[in-house]
């Protein structure tokens, strides 16, 4: 093959391949959402460069003027994003240079896209965490508002999805409040590790310019700088940790969704979800489907998937920065979007739940939910627990054969199973008696749940 042949061949082939490679390697289509943070970080960097005598005051003034214009263009959708310029950083820098000339070219002094992108992602995520934390609190607040109305609404508590013991609907709801409280704590803890400044690490080894990293950190509201330049540009564990937090929150909401779906089924009939969160069927006119909870359950899968994506992305990377890291953004953005939308819709949906206390009560009465109370009664009268358990099991079988509840058996009938049973048993066998007796921290007694709700409100108000 002659040179000419090769050239002809490459001449025919290189253009489309180059275009494909360009598209393959470009990230601007998705990383342009980092633009506001990229600009914010660049302005802080430029201010530090000027303070350290690395660029002039005139350069800084020009950079600021150019960035103001760029922000305006982006905000008004007038900015011409270009694939040829690969990513958000090069697009903005190129435009800055077009607008202000040499000052734009000086902006990149003492930094690299490696520490730049790591900084942008951290700024983005910090902002997202603050918003998500607020949304979590709104949902917690919606849960409390519903719970406070139902401290005396009795439903069956389940284990193995079989009727276990009566609980109040409020108590059940407050279990989700607790989960969300941990989620909110977790995300704020994660924020501490997100909120560190990579800039100054440059490509990987630091820079020979006399920079002041602490100044940039302070300008950008970071708690401090990343302590090792190699780690600063290559670490994405803060993003993985965030997605793990998000996956847990989604998992909690997926469990609640599963319950809402079951409770809306007529066999339970415990609740109804407002029409605006449901859809009908194109073929079955009677249908009202709980689409929103179903989708929350489904979308939990994608957030869990995003977590695995980022873990897998990192596991084989040698230090320091590798282009693999460009792939961190879509799963991260998708996680933020999914969790944001889910929390937003959930707070509204919880507020639109219609509770059907009669159906809950009927279900609790059907499953011998107070059997444990009968056993505990016998234990308090001196019978060893295992013997009490056996006596009650026989009593339940007896009641089952008569198709009635334990509380509907006559005293003589109950006494066949233990002579310790007296007529004070009936207060124990009622649902209300059962609830009231679990009167300790964390128990389902209305008094305890009311206290828990009051504490929860205080917590949300920042008072404990
Ligand atoms: N778009 C890149 C990313 O998201 C920016 C960093 C590129 N650095 C490089 N040396 N190619 O990671």
């Amino acid at each position: 093959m002659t040179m000419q042949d090769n050239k002809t061949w490459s001449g025919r082939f290189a253009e489309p391949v180059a275009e494909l490679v360009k598209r393959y390697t470009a990230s601007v289509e998705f990383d342009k959402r980092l633009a506001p943070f990229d600009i914010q970080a660049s302005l802080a960097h430029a201010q530090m460069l000027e303070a350290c005598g690395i660029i002039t005051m005139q350069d800084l003034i020009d950079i600021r003027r150019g960035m103001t214009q760029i922000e305006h263009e982006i905000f008004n959708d007038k900015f011409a994003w270009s694939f040829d310029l690969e990513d958000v950083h090069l697009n903005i820098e190129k435009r800055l240079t077009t607008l202000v000339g040499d000052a734009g070219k000086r902006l990149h002094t003492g930094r690299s896209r490696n520490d730049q992108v790591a900084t942008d992602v951290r700024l983005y995520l910090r902002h997202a965490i603050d918003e998500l934390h607020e949304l979590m609190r709104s949902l917690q607040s919606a849960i409390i508002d519903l719970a406070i109305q139902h401290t005396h609404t009795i439903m069956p508590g389940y284990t193995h999805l079989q009727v276990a013991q009566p609980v109040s609907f409020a108590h059940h709801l407050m279990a989700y409040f607790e989960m969300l409280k941990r989620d909110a704590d977790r995300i704020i803890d994660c924020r501490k590790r997100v909120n560190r400044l990579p800039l100054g690490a440059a490509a990987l080894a630091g820079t020979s310019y006399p920079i002041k990293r602490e100044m940039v950190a302070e300008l950008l509201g970071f708690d401090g700088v990343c302590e090792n330049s190699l780690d600063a540009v290559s670490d994405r564990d803060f993003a993985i940790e965030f997605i793990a937090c998000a996956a847990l929150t989604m998992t909690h909401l997926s469990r609640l969704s599963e319950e809402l779906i079951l409770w809306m089924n007529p066999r339970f009939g415990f609740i109804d979800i407002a029409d605006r969160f449901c859809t009908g069927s194109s073929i079955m006119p009677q249908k009202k489907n709980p689409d929103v909870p179903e989708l929350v359950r489904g979308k939990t899968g994608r957030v869990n998937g995003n977590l695995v994506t980022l873990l897998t992305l990192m596991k084989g990377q040698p230090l320091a920065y590798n282009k693999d890291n460009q792939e961190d953004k879509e799963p991260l953005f998708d996680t933020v979007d999914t969790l944001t939308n889910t929390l937003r819709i959930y707070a509204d949906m919880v507020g639109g739940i219609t509770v059907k206390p009669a159906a809950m009560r009927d279900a609790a009465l059907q499953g011998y939910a107070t059997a444990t109370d009968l056993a505990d009664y016998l234990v308090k009268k001196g019978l060893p627990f295992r013997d009490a358990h056996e006596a009650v099991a026989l009593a339940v079988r007896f009641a089952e054969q008569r198709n009635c509840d334990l509380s509907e058996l006559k005293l003589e009938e109950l006494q066949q199973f233990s002579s310790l049973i007296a007529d004070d048993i009936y207060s124990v066998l009622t649902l209300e008696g059962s609830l009231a007796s679990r009167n300790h921290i964390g128990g389902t007694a209305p008094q305890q749940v009311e206290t828990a709700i009051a504490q929860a409100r205080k917590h949300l108000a920042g008072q404990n």
Side-chain angles (χ1 to χ4, degrees):
M1 196 188 282
T2 64
M3 275 299 278
Q4 189 55 45
D5 283 344
N6 193 30
K7 251 186 156 173
T8 316
W9 177 83
S10 58
R12 281 174 58 185
F13 204 79
E15 264 305 280
V17 170
E19 196 53 38
L20 183 60
V21 170
K22 227 186 274 170
R23 284 182 177 271
Y24 192 73
T25 54
S27 54
V28 62
E29 201 164 353
F30 52 85
D31 68 17
K32 63 184 174 198
R33 89 150 79 177
L34 294 174
F37 306 101
D38 194 67
I39 293 170
Q40 189 190 358
S42 286
L43 289 173
H45 178 68
Q47 189 175 334
M48 180 277 289
L49 290 178
E50 192 282 327
C52 296
I54 301 168
I55 62 172
T56 63
M57 182 45 97
Q58 189 55 53
D59 287 332
L60 178 59
I61 290 168
D62 290 346
I63 289 168
R64 283 181 173 158
R65 176 170 48 83
M67 287 302 198
T68 305
Q69 159 94 21
I70 291 171
E71 262 176 342
H72 190 261
E73 289 174 3
I74 293 173
F75 186 79
N76 293 300
D77 238 349
K78 297 261 156 52
F79 192 90
W81 297 102
S82 156
F83 260 123
D84 293 336
L85 294 167
E86 207 181 308
D87 57 24
V88 60
H89 324 291
L90 295 179
N91 268 270
I92 290 177
E93 193 185 319
K94 181 74 201 303
R95 179 73 184 136
L96 182 68
T97 303
T98 307
L99 289 171
V100 306
D102 283 355
K105 294 185 196 164
R106 290 197 185 100
L107 172 63
H108 211 55
T109 313
R111 77 174 185 189
S112 148
R113 270 188 299 155
N114 298 351
D115 57 345
Q116 189 178 355
V117 70
T119 303
D120 293 2
V121 172
R122 282 169 185 264
L123 286 172
Y124 160 81
L125 190 52
R126 183 181 73 188
H127 178 77
I129 285 174
D130 291 344
E131 285 197 345
L132 286 166
H133 187 245
E134 269 314 300
L135 290 171
M136 283 179 183
R137 292 164 55 85
S138 306
L139 176 54
Q140 285 177 288
S141 182
I143 288 174
I144 290 178
D145 290 345
L146 185 59
I148 194 66
Q149 304 166 46
H150 294 287
T151 54
H152 291 272
T153 303
I154 302 181
M155 65 180 281
Y158 297 91
T159 61
H160 312 269
L161 202 56
Q162 307 295 318
V163 172
Q165 291 168 359
V167 295
S168 72
F169 184 53
H171 193 52
H172 195 116
L173 287 172
M174 289 306 286
Y176 286 98
F177 177 90
E178 289 295 317
M179 291 178 231
L180 285 163
K181 186 174 162 196
R182 290 193 295 277
D183 291 335
D185 285 352
R186 224 181 324 265
I187 209 171
I188 288 303
D189 201 64
C190 169
R191 190 188 192 277
K192 292 185 209 153
R193 285 170 290 281
V194 170
N195 204 28
R196 297 256 145 200
L197 175 78
L199 267 182
L204 76 165
T207 173
S208 56
Y209 297 96
I211 58 167
K212 282 204 186 106
R213 296 185 67 205
E214 293 84 348
M215 176 183 167
V216 182
E218 208 182 309
L219 285 171
L220 293 173
F222 283 109
D223 297 331
V225 301
C226 299
E227 304 277 353
N228 177 293
S229 63
L230 293 160
D231 182 45
V233 290
S234 64
D235 168 44
R236 295 292 181 274
D237 65 15
F238 66 90
I240 296 176
E241 185 182 347
F242 166 77
I243 301 182
C245 294
L248 266 174
T249 306
M250 287 299 293
T251 298
H252 291 150
L253 296 181
S254 182
R255 296 187 71 187
L256 179 52
S257 297
E258 172 69 9
E259 301 206 297
L260 297 181
I261 293 162
L262 286 171
W263 294 342
M264 206 178 125
N265 178 292
R267 291 275 164 170
F268 282 82
F270 290 180
I271 60 157
D272 203 5
I273 296 176
D275 286 359
R276 64 183 182 281
F277 301 102
C278 300
T279 64
S281 158
S282 53
I283 177 168
M284 296 165 283
Q286 84 285 10
K287 289 294 283 286
K288 178 175 159 185
N289 300 326
D291 289 45
V292 169
E294 287 173 79
L295 269 175
V296 170
R297 199 173 55 186
K299 283 174 188 291
T300 303
R302 71 196 270 160
V303 174
N304 291 353
N306 290 338
L307 175 60
V308 175
T309 301
L310 278 214
L311 284 167
T312 312
L313 179 76
M314 288 312 293
K315 72 178 276 296
Q317 285 192 49
L319 292 182
Y321 175 86
N322 302 279
K323 187 79 168 184
D324 311 41
N325 284 338
Q326 184 166 288
E327 287 289 304
D328 65 354
K329 288 169 203 63
E330 286 163 295
L332 183 62
F333 296 163
D334 183 70
T335 300
V336 169
D337 292 346
T338 304
L339 186 56
T340 301
N341 293 333
T342 302
L343 287 168
R344 215 169 255 158
I345 204 163
Y346 232 102
D348 194 13
M349 188 169 65
V350 166
I353 289 177
T354 307
V355 181
K356 299 178 175 174
M360 290 183 175
R361 190 180 178 83
D362 281 354
L365 286 172
Q366 273 166 30
Y368 302 101
T370 57
T372 316
D373 297 278
L374 176 52
D376 290 344
Y377 168 91
L378 293 172
V379 169
K380 280 173 204 155
K381 298 219 164 178
L383 201 62
F385 182 78
R386 281 294 157 219
D387 295 339
H389 186 283
E390 183 58 19
V392 177
L394 292 171
V396 166
R397 227 165 105 183
F398 181 81
E400 217 167 31
Q401 279 156 8
R402 272 156 191 72
N403 201 18
C404 68
D405 186 51
L406 288 173
S407 62
E408 288 165 333
L409 294 176
K410 293 198 196 75
L411 187 59
E412 307 83 68
E413 287 173 322
L414 283 166
Q415 281 168 337
Q416 309 170 64
F417 304 101
S418 170
S419 55
L420 295 169
I421 296 176
D423 60 4
D424 57 351
I425 188 60
Y426 290 102
S427 63
V428 170
L429 291 180
T430 62
L431 298 176
E432 283 75 11
S434 175
L435 251 67
S437 69
R438 288 165 167 73
N439 197 10
H440 52 77
I441 294 178
T444 192
Q447 192 194 335
Q448 291 296 334
V449 178
E450 276 154 21
T451 308
I453 293 172
Q455 297 281 3
R457 273 206 204 289
K458 271 197 192 158
H459 175 77
L460 285 185
Q463 289 162 2
N464 69 2

